[in-house]
């Protein structure tokens, strides 16, 4: 099973959540496992979509408690390592989809590119060379699977 | 779903592998997810048992490549952090079962006790206060689930 | 003693090395400890400057061997954690100066901003909100010390 | 400069503190840098001894704040990684001296042995194969330097 990560804002508006939820669902429908940071916002919405499609959802958590995970995480990975969990999340995925997000997401985009992993960007940090920017959740998932190694 | 970790030797004899395989199967039959270090020996045998029982197997890998995982790992977690992955593995579990093992296993036992998690010992490092020593795989799984928080 | 980090390219041209060396020296002259990633390029040049000024140089290494450090590192910190060492480096500093650099540096800039630490940028990733861009090594060190918490 | 780590209890009695302080002082007198976990008890006493002898003291901290360090730490390394800092500490040292201590110390002893580093034990976890047990701080430091690679 292919491992697709979603990264993005821990707090987000309804429209962004819908986008993330669609991405989560489509990742599972195409046979992927959804990896994320396990918390709220984009992470929770994507996990919800993936979960409702019957998939496996992995949450790589920064804190020390599994109960930090959002309710749609089936497999919590409890790092207790703060932002260093970003490295574990990125390294575990074959491709990453960034949806909105702030500095934490930027660090994950940069780490993914450093590790030569495909990064798809949707309404996120602009103008980063090597990020594949798209306009819709459908395109994002299509592109992610297309670019898998 | 309860999260049970198995820790132990990366290389092991046939009898130890059978023991680990039984533990993996029983963890899944009781509704648990099996977490391990993702490599060979006790880790692979336990994952095989869990996998064949239809369960989810998580491999928290020390190296930088998902392909390091044994073939029974459904969810690879690629830390790229060497022995620091032991901390992530232990922290992700609600109880741990140690089967044989050397210094790496001892570090995991110690970390688990430090985090106040139940540790069941089967033919492993002896005489560590607070480890619950048992004689059979059945007892190990029984004890692990009994001691869950 | 104040803890100033320098982040940047692991390979660099002579002019960039001169810049980094000046920064290293000035950090020490102002009473700081110089933290860096311990490898070559900007890291080595800055450590050389700091060392020659009689200061303490800390190299937070990604690999598993102290001998990976450049010859100007007095205090190697051997993480064996790959890119997760970026998090340790950033967290250990009170302010960071970015000089040139690629995706690894971008991840460090993002992590530093995420942790609300001052980031000074000199000929590095442009247009990142909250980075304090400067034109000279003198300005960089001046700004870093000025912005210390 | 040789890198010697001291590991042990975060809270200790006066006699143990005196022992640790002597070890810290002697490590510096023999030209070593003292590495420790940066907190109280054995760590603080050893750092005090090393500091008063004019040496460099490195504290590899589990938490996210440099201010967690005891007052004798000159070089704080702020990991924010909880117990995973044990791995960084052990990996950074060429030899380790264990003084008393509980499960955290046991994990460090095990990790050090796993990495083939010399471990000297003084009034600590007994009966671990490959630990070099000694009776006095003088012997501990003598043995540590003698066993350096």
């Amino acid at each position: 099973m292919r491992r697709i990560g979603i990264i993005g804002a821990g707090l987000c508006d309804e429209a962004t959540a819908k986008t993330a939820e669609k991405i989560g669902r489509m990742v599972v429908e195409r046979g992927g496992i959804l990896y994320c940071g396990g918390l709220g916002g984009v992470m929770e919405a994507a996990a919800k979509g993936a979960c409702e499609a019957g998939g496996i959802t992995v949450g790589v958590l920064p804190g020390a408690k599994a109960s930090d995970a959002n309710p749609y995480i089936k497999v919590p990975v409890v790092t207790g390592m703060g932002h260093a969990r970003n490295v574990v999340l990125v390294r575990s995925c074959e491709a990453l989809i960034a949806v909105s997000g702030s500095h934490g997401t930027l660090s994950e985009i940069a780490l993914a590119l450093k590790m030569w992993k495909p990064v798809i960007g949707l309404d996120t940090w602009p103008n980063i060379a090597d990020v594949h920017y798209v306009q819709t959740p459908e395109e994002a998932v299509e592109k992610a699977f297309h670019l898998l190694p």
Side-chain angles (χ1 to χ4, degrees), chain A residues 4-10 34-40 42-44 46-47 57-63 65-66 68-70 73 75-79 82 85-86 88-90 93 96 108:
Chain A
I4 309 294
I6 190 160
I7 53 182
L34 187 85
Y35 284 69
C36 70
L39 301 178
V42 162
M43 300 171 259
E44 179 163 351
T57 50
V58 182
V60 183
L61 296 158
K65 292 181 303 178
D68 292 342
N70 70 59
I73 296 300
V75 179
V77 176
V78 190
T79 69
R85 78 80 138 82
N86 296 7
V88 177
L89 170 56
V90 167
C93 298
L96 289 113
E108 292 166 322

Side-chain angles (χ1 to χ4, degrees), chain A residues 6 10 34 59 80 82 85-86 95 100 106 130 134 142 146:
Chain A
I6 190 160
L34 187 85
R85 78 80 138 82
N86 296 7
S100 76
L106 178 58
D130 302 324
V134 296
E142 177 62 36
H146 180 71

Side-chain angles (χ1 to χ4, degrees), chain A residues 13-38:
Chain A
D13 62 25
E14 195 56 29
T16 304
K18 280 289 166 218
T19 295
E21 191 179 329
K22 275 189 197 167
I23 289 172
R25 189 184 318 121
M26 287 185 290
V27 163
V28 167
E29 287 169 355
R30 294 187 66 144
I33 299 181
L34 187 85
Y35 284 69
C36 70

